[in-house]
Amino acid sequence: MEVKLAKTAGFCMGVRRAVDIVLDIAQHETSRIYTYGPLIHNPQTIELLKSRGIRPIENIEEIKDKNNAILIIRAHGIAPDERKKIKSSGLKVVDATCPKVGYVQSIIKKHTGLDYSVIIVGDREHPEVDGLLGYTGGRGIIISTLEEVDKIPYNEKVCVVAQTTQNLDDYNKIVEKIKEKCSQAVVFNTICSSTEQRQAEVTAMASEMDAMFIVGGKNSANTRRLADLAQKKQSSTFHIETPADMEKIDFGPYNRIGVSAGASTPNWIIDRVMDKIMDGQSRKLKNIGTLLNLWIYAIKTDIYSAIGAGCLCLVCMLLQNIPVSLTFIAIASLFVYAMHVLHRLLGRKPANLVGSFREESYQRYGKLYYYTAGLSIVFALALAFNKALPVFLFLFFLFLAGLIYNTITFPEQWNFKSFKDLPGSKNISMSVAWGIVTAILPALDKDYSFNAGLTVAFVFSFGIVFIRSAMSDILEIQSDKLIGQETIPVFFGRKRTITILKIISLILLAVLLVSSPLGWTSSLSFLLT
Ligand code: SF4
């Protein structure tokens, strides 16, 4: 059983840049935001953008209040005449044209100025081609197939360019034929390197695998081209938009599955497709792998976090030289499980749009999750009460703080709608809560006062959880930006977040190295470095 995800799957540089530009504007601007045409060819992402007030329009007349609006030009670019028209309307315009498309526009502009006719090899209906045609000064010809070359007139002064997402082999064939007619043709390979690499990887993968899944909008030309290329090498090729398209597919015959995605497919959809395929594959192992399936389920749900909290609690007790107590391990596990589940249930992302197996499962079995979370918190509080009153009170107030964090909303006129909207609040509050239940609560059992060992254990637990949650947020930065979740990576950006995490790791390392020789903690701190 093998499931392989192409390295080149998902957003290309130009699409990522355009999406980032739009989302950054949405974060800081109060004006209405419009995109000139759908920002990307992916219906699910367009729905998410709409939920954030970012609307696609086909014509600037659709914008009523032009003084209070920003219009984004998408990665495909537009024709110069259209640009002029938009600017003269008084609209505030932000240009998110991909620099690589801008390069093709500049080639056409230059050669049109030198009196060349321009042949654009591409899809007639594609907005990028439409925009490029606008730079030809009315002397452009679009060629979509080899046969169409027969129709072009003989002309020595011809410049040939390609739509950036064309297939290189097809382009080369068309260019050969053009040269037979126009021997002096000036040819530019303007196919984007990201497209070439993506297509080469899919072709290679399709020859090796038993089945290929190409993920992306049915209206996305580059995704359709990927599916065509895969189909040539592998007859079991499926072009799917979302995991829902996979319901009727029988995974039985396929042991090696390859997955790739178009340049406008967001990571969260690719993740869901991967989850679905892994699910189908693990069902095949049902008879021989019940334990394995349970383990996979634990990883995909918050049981995994609960196990992690129990282990961290054990480590913190050993660090502080406190006698190991199974009750505190159980309290940490039950509390973390309950709060993680409640946090997910109360702060669910827009239905059916974003989410992995976990979110799907939370939507389907919401009630069951509420019951298990409720029972877990009751058990945790009962165990804490049985231990000592301060332990119970600490845990109870922590639980209340968690509820307030998840439910209280601020007045409409405030910049932040709830605590969750405060940048980085999720990472910090979660790390503090873990630090308290794993390091501080076990210490409250004794007549423990504040001491250095307790501080080291808390810092260790806080640091580990913070690093882990920020790292997983780095992986989800794209979907978090789309739905407006203010995580540390969204606020600081990927690079700065990695720098912050490196600094925290170094601090943790230094604290653990000195704490045992100074007599603050047990020698376990050496092992943890
Ligand atoms: S495929 Fe290439 S040219 Fe087109 S938007 Fe993406 S990076 Fe830009």
Side-chain angles (χ1 to χ4, degrees):
M1 181 189 92
E2 186 187 352
V3 182
K4 198 170 168 186
L5 174 64
K7 288 193 194 96
T8 50
F11 281 180
C12 62
M13 174 277 289
V15 169
R16 184 174 299 114
R17 179 176 170 274
V19 172
D20 280 349
I21 288 174
V22 172
L23 293 174
D24 284 346
I25 292 173
Q27 210 171 356
H28 304 114
E29 281 283 348
T30 50
S31 306
R32 288 185 179 277
I33 302 166
Y34 299 92
T35 60
Y36 201 47
L39 185 66
I40 59 175
H41 287 146
N42 185 274
Q44 292 73 29
T45 307
I46 296 301
E47 282 308 310
L48 268 180
L49 291 171
K50 278 186 192 167
S51 73
R52 297 211 51 201
I54 301 160
R55 312 217 149 260
I57 52 153
E58 296 301 330
N59 193 312
I60 51 169
E61 302 315 322
E62 292 173 46
I63 304 174
K64 298 284 172 265
D65 184 4
K66 292 198 171 51
N67 294 325
N68 186 29
I70 297 176
L71 182 67
I72 318 280
I73 294 173
R74 56 188 172 170
H76 304 312
I78 54 170
D81 287 352
E82 253 178 313
R83 188 183 295 268
K84 244 188 231 164
K85 191 176 146 198
I86 294 170
K87 286 218 164 145
S88 63
S89 73
L91 266 169
K92 189 173 172 191
V93 180
V94 174
D95 191 355
T97 305
C98 172
K100 292 183 181 180
V101 175
Y103 170 65
V104 191
Q105 292 172 345
S106 67
I107 290 175
I108 298 177
K109 200 173 164 188
K110 178 180 165 193
H111 286 82
T112 302
L114 295 172
D115 216 23
Y116 278 80
S117 294
V118 178
I119 296 176
I120 303 163
V121 180
D123 303 329
R124 197 159 272 109
E125 307 300 324
H126 198 280
E128 178 188 323
V129 175
D130 196 43
L132 294 178
L133 193 63
Y135 283 84
T136 62
R139 290 196 296 133
I141 303 167
I142 301 168
I143 296 284
S144 301
T145 63
L146 204 54
E147 293 70 43
E148 286 176 22
V149 180
D150 296 331
K151 295 180 199 154
I152 62 168
Y154 284 90
N155 186 348
E156 285 309 315
K157 235 178 162 186
V158 163
C159 165
V160 187
V161 294
Q163 178 189 344
T164 53
T165 48
Q166 283 294 294
N167 174 257
L168 184 60
D169 285 345
D170 294 346
Y171 181 55
N172 283 340
K173 281 179 199 153
I174 290 176
V175 164
E176 282 303 305
K177 202 164 174 187
I178 291 173
K179 278 187 169 171
E180 285 170 15
K181 280 189 139 182
C182 320
S183 56
Q184 300 300 311
V186 184
V187 179
F188 293 89
N189 176 5
T190 51
I191 297 173
C192 164
S193 55
S194 123
T195 307
E196 277 184 46
Q197 286 157 9
R198 193 184 303 263
Q199 293 178 350
E201 195 180 13
V202 161
T203 307
M205 211 184 220
S207 332
E208 286 171 17
M209 297 292 166
D210 301 334
M212 282 296 291
F213 285 81
I214 306 295
V215 193
K218 296 270 162 72
N219 59 344
S220 156
N222 79 82
T223 312
R224 283 202 308 265
R225 198 161 291 120
L226 279 186
D228 288 345
L229 283 174
Q231 184 79 48
K232 280 181 192 160
K233 300 277 175 190
Q234 174 51 259
S235 56
S236 299
T237 292
F238 305 92
H239 178 177
I240 54 167
E241 252 185 24
T242 67
D245 298 340
M246 302 162 76
E247 292 301 337
K248 290 185 183 146
I249 297 173
D250 174 17
F251 290 93
Y254 313 127
N255 284 320
R256 308 184 76 212
I257 295 177
V259 180
S260 185
S264 48
T265 311
N267 283 350
W268 56 270
I269 293 187
I270 302 172
D271 289 347
R272 285 183 71 175
V273 168
M274 290 299 284
D275 270 350
K276 189 93 183 169
I277 294 174
M278 300 297 271
D279 216 29
Q281 293 295 72
S282 64
R283 243 179 269 145
K284 281 164 55 179
L285 295 173
K286 209 169 197 167
N287 298 331
I288 53 166
T290 309
L291 270 180
L292 177 68
N293 280 318
L294 274 177
W295 179 240
I296 292 172
Y297 186 80
I299 290 175
K300 286 174 170 180
T301 61
D302 287 301
I303 295 170
Y304 192 59
S305 302
I307 296 171
C311 294
L312 198 52
C313 184
L314 173 68
V315 169
C316 288
M317 286 189 280
L318 292 173
L319 264 181
Q320 296 178 73
N321 275 320
I322 297 173
V324 170
S325 158
L326 286 178
T327 308
F328 280 111
I329 293 176
I331 291 173
S333 297
L334 290 166
F335 181 82
V336 163
Y337 174 79
M339 295 316 286
H340 274 236
V341 171
L342 286 176
H343 175 75
R344 287 188 207 284
L345 288 169
L346 296 170
R348 255 181 267 173
K349 296 172 179 178
N352 299 325
L353 289 177
V354 172
S356 56
F357 162 89
R358 185 155 44 197
E359 265 114 31
E360 242 179 66
S361 152
Y362 275 77
Q363 274 168 19
R364 199 176 299 174
Y365 308 110
K367 261 191 187 169
L368 185 67
Y369 278 108
Y370 267 119
Y371 289 140
T372 55
L375 275 178
S376 300
I377 197 68
V378 168
F379 271 123
L381 286 168
L383 288 173
F385 188 75
N386 198 36
K387 267 290 176 191
L389 190 60
V391 177
F392 171 78
L393 289 175
F394 232 103
L395 197 68
F396 182 69
F397 284 117
L398 201 56
F399 168 61
L400 280 187
L403 279 188
I404 289 170
Y405 175 81
N406 278 297
T407 52
I408 294 284
T409 49
F410 299 154
E412 269 295 307
Q413 62 272 25
W414 289 22
N415 274 351
F416 301 106
K417 303 278 172 288
S418 71
F419 285 111
K420 284 188 277 187
D421 291 339
L422 297 171
S425 65
K426 185 197 87 178
N427 310 78
I428 293 169
S429 59
M430 193 204 305
S431 309
V432 169
W434 276 62
I436 291 174
V437 291
T438 58
I440 296 182
L441 285 193
L444 288 178
D445 191 28
K446 300 251 163 203
D447 53 343
Y448 260 63
S449 52
F450 171 82
N451 63 58
L454 172 61
T455 313
V456 172
F458 178 80
V459 168
F460 173 71
S461 177
F462 176 94
I464 291 288
V465 176
F466 186 86
I467 290 169
R468 190 206 157 275
S469 77
M471 277 173 67
S472 82
D473 285 345
I474 288 176
L475 298 177
E476 293 193 5
I477 190 167
Q478 210 176 78
S479 58
D480 284 338
K481 272 188 174 185
L482 274 170
I483 61 169
Q485 195 132 313
E486 288 283 4
T487 60
I488 296 267
V490 168
F491 187 70
F492 287 111
R494 196 174 178 279
K495 268 192 186 165
R496 263 187 280 173
T497 303
I498 291 174
T499 308
I500 291 170
L501 296 186
K502 280 182 183 168
I503 293 169
I504 294 176
S505 305
L506 284 176
I507 293 171
L508 276 188
L509 189 72
V511 169
L512 288 171
L513 275 176
V514 299
S515 60
S516 177
L518 290 173
W520 296 344
T521 59
S522 67
S523 53
L524 178 66
S525 55
F526 276 130
L527 269 179
L528 295 173
T529 54

